[in-house]
Every structure is written in structure tokens, then in C-alpha cells.
Amino acid sequence: MTPKMRLPDWPAPGGRSGEFPWLMLYRGILCLITAALLTVCIFPHLDFYRIGSSLDQFRVDQPAPRDILATTEIRWDDEDETNRLRDDAEKGVPPSYILDQKALTTALRDVDNIFAPVTATVKDGAKAEPGKSSPELIAELAKLDPVTRERLHTEAKEILSEVMKERVEEGKEEVAAEEYIDPLVMAREPQENDARVLKMVTRAAFRATWVKDEAGTDAAKKQARVAIKTVQRIYKPGDIVLRKGVTLSASNLQQLREKGLLQSGTYTLVVPLALIILLGVVFLGVYLRSFARPVYDSSQKLTLLALLLVAPVWAATAFSVGDQQYLVALIAVPAACMVIAGLLGGLIAIPAAVLTALAASFPADHQFAIFLLTLGSALAGMIMVTFIWPARNTLLAALSLVLINLLLLAVVPSIIPSGSSFLFLWSDMGTRALWAAAGGLGAIFIAVGAIYMLARPFGIVTHYRLMELSNPNEPLLRRMMLEAPGSYHSSVMVANMAEAAADAINADPLLTRVAALYHDIGKLKRPSFFVENQAPLGIENVHEKLTPKMSYLILTNHVRDGIELARENQLPEEVVNIISQHHGTTLAAYFYHRAVTEANGETISEYDFRYPGPKPATREAALLMLSDSVQASVKSIPQPNAQRIAAMVSEIIQNRLEDGQLDDCPITRRDLRLVSEVFLRILTGLYSYTRIEYPDIKEIKNGERT
């Protein structure tokens, strides 16, 4: 009977041996809190006609769908009657006038201008401009002799000087002329023709001495309106306050809300909203359980997801006023979905985008338009977020998102009914381009910053973090370079092999490389006990003085030490998991064979000399195990060549398969064939080439001298 494998009580990947009992309770509480927060964000910004039956569809400038009855005795401001009385009072305000101090001076100058063309023509023989004179008047003046003309000129000024002492209001010049000018002209000029010409001159130059004061008139009208108090009506319980079919004004709708006449529908409105939101959150949880188990099993990641659901909806409702809702929605929702895609994965971001776009569209004036805009921009942003690494691609991704936003803004307005106040009209290309640019660039830069800041607090590994960890100047790598140089250079070689293999089978090359660089950091605790460090450190093989069992314990403990050191230095959990799995439950063959040799016939179980595991659970962990094993074995081949290296690579991979080390990871035989080819290509180039034997330069120089 095969003995069972004994496993030490080590922490499993992720720092726990299974799902804690409280995690399910935490999920339920988090689900309710998320739904409640989304409802609280949305409901205060809903109007009463947004959700509910048709009986609650009260809208400004639309007919009331039903009669509104008073529930208690109320005072109702009758806006229509008040406005009618105020309009009447405003119409009854007479216009205000103000004395024109320059009226007489201007009139006398006009008289001079009337006579000037005729005088200039007589004196100079040239035709002058007529000024205020009509051609008929100029013709009449030209018929007069100079003496008569000069006399009429003087009399016209005298008459105007006398008449314009009176109060003549603007608009009443004709009446004043008949009352004042005509009698004076008839008294001064008995000659009918001269009187007619003088009357024409004085009437042409005459003007009002009191002109209308527009500002004073407006002030008087406002004063008259203010003087009319608001007409109030008292309604008893049961009286009809507002009849069905009456067009609702903004004031009437506001009064209905303030007096609580629409509050009866509040609870019936919040229930369907809360139910819709709760169902959406529950659906997202079921989706995570089925398709994103690592997120579903992580309280940290669930909390992050909840925050990224609530934050954009809060921003889209709290900071959107009027047409700003389109801009806020184009920034907030796509940015949040890009962060979800960047930190938790695109499969999670898709249903999250639908939920947040739906929630953000509830308070909007044009709900369907906002839903399409935000969802389309969010889906485009989720695609673009995959292109923002390396950083040089960020600008291209942002410009692509701007272009997609512009296309969305050009298409979506076509669904808006004609006559609406929707901002994005076909004729407003410049404004739409600015909004598309603001939305795209704003969403990209917010998302990049949020991904960078949120990754480490929530224990999520990103490309940026992995690139930081791959830097040789990282503290742990520098320690390995100085304290365990053999292990460090071996890890670099393993990292090169594992990264190339990961690239060949479409695994994560960067994660694989980083895990390979750090997989042996546990050897920092006792670097001299590992053979690759003994020669660089000038130390003899200490295992010759130790029992095989003690050597086995020291050897296998480097995995436990590596996990502890990785967590102390806050390495990503994905890297910690691979460190714990990179030896699986393989046999420490060298010390096992030593133990069998020294046992003197005593039975030695190989399970007492196996690593405690766990086995590799991901393709990246499997690649690290194979790279580590192959690299160490090929170094031991005497006089390596392509055939020997190929045989060793094939043997190592086959042994791991037969030993069941790859049973728990999703790696295929096709993947293993590609991995074998990569290993063979790299190792053959490294170990099986021949060097040219260079001559001794000193001997050549000495020979030349002789």
C-alpha cells in the first residue's frame, strides 16, 4: 500500500487553506451596501416622473396626468391669477420722461443745416449735401431771394427758441407743432408762400424736449409688479388643487413637491429603483462566481469592485448639472470601467460597465442616450486599457478613445426626438469634438492614475508593478546579487528561459519572469547551504557534515523562507503563489539517495524527502518549475551538445508529467512541446557552442623580440 504523502502545515497560496466562513456573509453584506449606496446616489436626483407608473409622470410643460387633491388644508399660490394681475399692473404704468438738455441746441443746428446747402450753392456754384432738408424744401428755399431767405432763417430760430421752452414729450411732436409752431408762423409771416416755407423749416428742425426714460419706465413696471402680492387660495382636504390636463409650470410642480402632494409616491418609486439595482448587483455576483472565481473569493477585490461601481455613479449624479451630465458620464463611467479592466480583468469589466452605465443614466434627461454614450465609451475604454502598457502607447490609446467618443456623439443624438434640448446637434461639430476630447483624455488619465494608486493597497499585480520588481536594483534582487550570487545568476537564467516559454504558449511572460527572479529568495536565509553559492562565497560543501534528513529540511525550507520574505517585502500574491508552487511535491532526489545508501537496510520512504507542495496551479508556475529543473540538470551534463541537451529536456518534462506535478495546472501537451523547443533552442545556444582557442599574446610578443 502506497503511503500517503505527509505535508507540513504550510500556508496555501493566497495565505489561507480555504474559504473562511465569514466570507459568504461578507459578500452578502457588501452586496446590500453596494446596492444601497447606488440607490442613495441615484434617487435624490430622480424626478417623480423618472420611475413608476404613468400616474406619476408629472413633467414641466406637460399636461397633468391626473387630478391632485389636497390631503390637508393648504395655501396654494395661484401663479396664473397672480401673473395676470401683475401683467395688468405693468401695462397700466405710463412711460417715464426725462428732459433733453441738448434738444434746443440740436434743433438750432438743424436749422442752420437746412439753409446751408442753398447758401453754398448760391455762393460757390457747387451742389452741397442737403443735410436734414428734403429735396422739396431745398427747391422752395432756392426760389427765394437772399434777403427773404436770411429773414426766414432768423425767424425759424426765434420761433424754435420760444416754442421749445414748453414741455413737448417724445411721440407728441406733431400735436405740439400744430399747437405752438403754426400760430407763431402765421403771426410773423403774412405772405402765404413765405409762411409755408417757414412752417416747413421749423417743423423739420423741431424735436421733443422730453424723451422717454427706458430705465425709469422699466423700474416703474417692476415696482408695479412687486406691489401686487401673490394671490393665494385655501384648499380644504379633498379639494382639487390641480386638475387633470392643466399644463404644469415649474412653479406648480415645485409647489406640489414642497407641499407633499407628490410624496405619497416616494416609497413606491424607491422600491423599484432599489430592486433593479439590487438585481444588477446580485447578477454581477453570480457572474463573478461562475467566471471570475479569484475575484469572488477575495474580500479585497470585491471591496475594490464595489468602490469602482459606486464612485462613477456618484460622480455622474453629484457633479452633473444640465448638459454637464454628458461630460461627467463620459469621464466617470469609462474611467471606472477601465480601472476595473486594468486591475480585475476585462471579463469583469463588461457586466460592470452595463450596470454602471444603466445606473448613471437613470437621473439623466435623455436616459437612453446617456446609456448608449457611457456604455459605448466604457467598452471602448476597456479595449484601450490593454494598450496603455508600455507607457509610450498611452497617448495613442487616448486619441483612439477620443475618436470613438466623437463617433458616438455623432450617432447617438439621432435617437433624440426633434425639438429636444439635447446639446449635441449635427451643426455643433466643434462643441462635440471638445466634449469627446475632454471625455477621452480625462477618462484615460484618471484610469492610469487610479490603476497605479489602487493596485498595491488592494494587493493587485499590474504591469507597472511587475516592471518595477524586475529591476535589478530592487532591494531583494540586490541582496541576492551580493549575498547569494550563484542563486541570483541561476535565477536570471531561469527567468530568461521561463519568459521565452511563456511567450511561446501565450502565458503571462512578465509575471513568469518576475516570479522566476524571486523564486529562490528563501535561500538568502542560509545562502552557504546551497551548492551554487559555495564556490562564489569560498565555502566548502557543508552538507557533507550533515545527515541527509537535515540537509533535506534545510533545502526544502527555502520555499517556506521565500514565502515569508516575499510577504514581508509585499510582493504580489501571484508571485508568492508561484514561489510556493515552484517545486511542487517533487523528490529531493540527491538527499533521498544518500539516505537510502546510508540506511543500512532500513526502509526509507521517498515521501519523507519530497517538497510539501502545493503543485503548480497555473501555467506560469508550471513553466517556472520546468525551467528551474531543466536549467539545473543541463548544467550537470558533461560536455553538453544538442543531442544530450534535448534528451535531458525531454526526460525532465516527462518525469514531471509522470510524477503528477502538472496535474493541477491547465497546461497541454502541445504547450509542453513548444516549451521543450524553446528550452532546447536557448540551452543549445548557451552550452553547445565551441570557442576559438586564442594564442597567448605574451608568448607572441616575446617571440617577436627574439
Side-chain angles (χ1 to χ4, degrees):
M1 184 174 181
T2 305
K4 292 184 178 180
M5 186 184 306
R6 181 180 61 81
L7 299 178
D9 187 20
W10 281 14
R16 59 175 187 258
S17 59
E19 183 179 296
F20 290 110
W22 53 263
L23 186 55
M24 184 172 293
L25 176 63
Y26 178 79
R27 292 194 196 106
I29 295 174
L30 185 62
C31 176
L32 293 175
I33 291 176
T34 303
L37 289 175
L38 288 173
T39 304
V40 169
C41 288
I42 296 169
F43 187 71
H45 300 277
L46 289 176
D47 215 334
F48 288 95
Y49 56 82
R50 301 291 189 204
I51 297 179
S53 67
S54 60
L55 295 179
D56 290 319
Q57 294 178 359
F58 289 85
R59 306 186 63 171
V60 176
D61 296 331
Q62 297 294 326
R66 59 179 171 86
D67 291 340
I68 297 293
L69 304 180
T71 55
T72 59
E73 183 175 301
I74 63 171
R75 290 182 178 274
W76 181 264
D77 295 340
D78 191 333
E79 181 183 353
D80 293 336
E81 181 63 18
T82 302
N83 286 336
R84 187 186 67 79
L85 294 175
R86 287 175 176 170
D87 290 343
D88 291 343
E90 183 178 339
K91 291 177 183 177
V93 174
S96 298
Y97 293 91
I98 186 172
L99 178 63
D100 185 358
Q101 302 288 348
K102 298 180 179 179
L104 179 58
T105 304
T106 305
L108 296 178
R109 184 172 64 246
D110 289 344
V111 172
D112 293 337
N113 291 336
I114 290 172
F115 283 91
V118 180
T119 304
T121 301
V122 173
K123 291 180 178 180
D124 304 331
K127 192 172 182 180
E129 292 297 328
K132 284 192 67 176
S133 306
S134 64
E136 181 185 359
L137 180 55
I138 294 176
E140 291 293 336
L141 291 174
K143 295 176 183 178
L144 301 175
D145 59 86
V147 176
T148 303
R149 194 164 45 244
E150 186 63 29
R151 177 172 52 80
L152 293 181
H153 188 176
T154 303
E155 288 179 353
K157 287 188 173 184
E158 291 174 353
I159 290 173
L160 288 175
S161 298
E162 183 176 350
V163 170
M164 293 183 68
K165 293 178 181 178
E166 303 293 336
R167 179 186 177 99
V168 180
E169 295 178 353
E170 185 178 358
K172 300 179 181 180
E173 293 89 345
E174 188 67 27
V175 175
E178 292 179 359
E179 182 179 354
Y180 299 118
I181 294 178
D182 292 354
L184 290 175
V185 170
M186 297 304 296
R188 284 176 174 268
E189 284 296 335
Q191 294 288 337
E192 181 179 352
N193 185 61
D194 293 347
R196 182 173 57 81
V197 174
L198 180 58
K199 186 185 296 186
M200 292 174 65
V201 172
T202 51
R203 277 178 173 264
F206 180 63
R207 63 180 52 237
T209 55
W210 289 74
V211 295
K212 289 181 179 179
D213 181 10
E214 299 293 344
T217 303
D218 291 342
K221 289 181 178 180
K222 290 179 181 178
Q223 187 67 26
R225 292 187 69 88
V226 171
I228 303 299
K229 295 183 179 180
T230 302
V231 177
Q232 288 190 333
R233 302 189 185 279
I234 298 177
Y235 292 100
K236 302 292 184 181
D239 291 347
I240 297 178
V241 178
L242 194 69
R243 292 190 178 276
K244 178 180 178 180
V246 174
T247 301
L248 281 172
S249 65
S251 174
N252 285 341
L253 188 57
Q254 184 66 25
Q255 284 190 88
L256 289 175
R257 295 171 183 162
E258 290 176 351
K259 299 184 184 303
L261 298 179
L262 290 180
Q263 289 296 337
S264 59
T266 300
Y267 299 105
T268 59
L269 292 172
V270 75
V271 169
L273 173 64
L275 183 59
I276 291 173
I277 297 298
L278 180 60
L279 289 176
V281 176
V282 170
F283 169 79
L284 182 59
V286 174
Y287 179 89
L288 294 176
R289 187 176 184 273
S290 302
F291 301 104
R293 195 74 194 199
V295 175
Y296 185 77
D297 291 336
S298 171
S299 59
Q300 276 187 311
K301 293 178 180 179
L302 286 176
T303 304
L304 175 62
L305 179 59
L307 291 175
L308 292 175
L309 290 176
V310 174
V313 176
W314 171 76
T317 54
F319 294 102
S320 59
V321 179
D323 290 328
Q324 289 182 12
Q325 59 191 314
Y326 302 100
L327 179 60
V328 175
L330 278 175
I331 294 176
V333 175
C337 294
M338 291 166 67
V339 176
I340 294 174
L343 295 180
L344 302 178
L347 288 178
I348 301 171
I350 293 173
V354 176
L355 180 59
T356 51
L358 180 65
S361 67
F362 274 128
D365 291 335
H366 304 285
Q367 296 165 341
F368 190 44
I370 284 292
F371 175 74
L372 290 181
L373 280 173
T374 53
L375 180 60
S377 184
L379 294 176
M382 289 157 46
I383 297 173
M384 296 308 155
V385 79
T386 61
F387 296 102
I388 62 176
W389 290 281
R392 63 176 177 270
N393 294 336
T394 303
L395 182 59
L396 180 61
L399 294 178
S400 301
L401 184 57
V402 169
L403 179 59
I404 293 173
N405 281 347
L406 185 58
L407 293 176
L408 287 171
L409 292 173
V411 173
V412 170
S414 62
I415 67 172
I416 303 302
S418 60
S420 69
S421 59
F422 191 66
L423 177 65
F424 308 113
L425 302 175
W426 279 102
S427 60
D428 197 8
M429 179 63 73
T431 301
R432 287 185 289 115
L434 290 176
W435 285 55
L441 296 176
I444 282 283
F445 289 121
I446 290 175
V448 171
I451 289 172
Y452 185 82
M453 290 188 293
L454 294 176
R456 188 171 295 188
F458 287 93
I460 298 173
V461 59
T462 64
H463 285 73
Y464 283 131
R465 178 66 176 141
L466 291 175
M467 286 189 287
E468 286 179 356
L469 292 173
S470 64
N471 189 330
N473 290 319
E474 281 291 304
L476 279 177
L477 295 183
R478 286 194 63 81
R479 279 190 61 192
M480 283 195 69
M481 192 185 305
L482 298 175
E483 300 175 25
S487 297
Y488 172 77
H489 291 292
S490 175
S491 296
V492 172
M493 184 62 196
V494 171
N496 293 335
M497 294 172 58
E499 181 182 20
D503 191 50
I505 65 171
N506 293 322
D508 190 332
L510 187 54
L511 174 61
T512 306
R513 178 175 184 81
V514 171
L517 290 173
Y518 289 86
H519 78 283
D520 273 345
I521 56 175
K523 294 180 179 180
L524 283 170
K525 193 168 185 179
R526 305 177 188 88
S528 61
F529 283 79
F530 298 90
V531 65
E532 68 267 21
N533 296 318
Q534 290 170 355
L537 296 176
I539 300 173
E540 296 180 357
N541 189 355
V542 295
H543 290 284
E544 295 178 357
K545 302 177 183 179
L546 300 175
T547 64
K549 187 64 176 179
M550 181 60 69
S551 295
Y552 156 77
L553 292 174
I554 294 172
L555 176 70
T556 55
N557 272 344
H558 88 274
V559 178
R560 178 201 294 270
D561 296 335
I563 294 172
E564 293 176 355
L565 197 57
R567 291 214 168 99
E568 287 175 8
N569 287 268
Q570 298 181 341
L571 294 187
E573 198 65 25
E574 289 82 350
V575 175
V576 177
N577 292 343
I578 295 176
I579 291 175
S580 69
Q581 300 166 13
H582 80 276
H583 278 296
T585 58
T586 54
L587 178 68
Y590 178 80
F591 296 113
Y592 170 68
H593 288 299
R594 268 191 59 191
V596 171
T597 303
E598 299 174 5
N600 297 323
E602 182 182 349
T603 302
I604 303 295
S605 173
E606 71 174 56
Y607 293 99
D608 290 333
F609 284 86
R610 282 186 176 271
Y611 282 88
K615 296 177 182 179
T618 63
R619 295 197 297 170
E620 290 78 13
L623 293 177
L624 176 56
M625 168 185 278
L626 296 176
S627 303
D628 192 27
S629 302
V630 167
Q631 188 266 348
S633 299
V634 169
K635 282 199 304 184
S636 65
I637 298 176
Q639 297 180 348
N641 55 37
Q643 291 75 19
R644 292 179 180 178
I645 292 174
M648 180 63 74
V649 170
S650 178
E651 180 183 354
I652 292 295
I653 294 177
Q654 188 62 32
N655 286 343
R656 294 296 178 265
L657 274 173
E658 294 174 355
D659 198 27
Q661 299 301 317
L662 306 180
D663 291 350
D664 296 343
C665 64
I667 196 166
T668 65
R669 288 190 175 274
R670 178 180 179 278
D671 292 338
L672 293 177
R673 179 177 58 79
L674 294 175
V675 169
S676 176
E677 292 174 359
V678 170
F679 287 170
L680 184 60
R681 184 172 64 251
I682 293 175
L683 294 171
T684 301
L686 183 64
Y687 291 110
S688 64
Y689 65 89
T690 57
R691 285 184 177 270
I692 299 174
E693 185 175 352
Y694 291 96
D696 190 332
I697 300 300
K698 292 183 179 180
E699 291 182 1
I700 294 176
K701 290 183 177 180
N702 291 335
E704 289 178 353
R705 289 183 187 137
T706 58

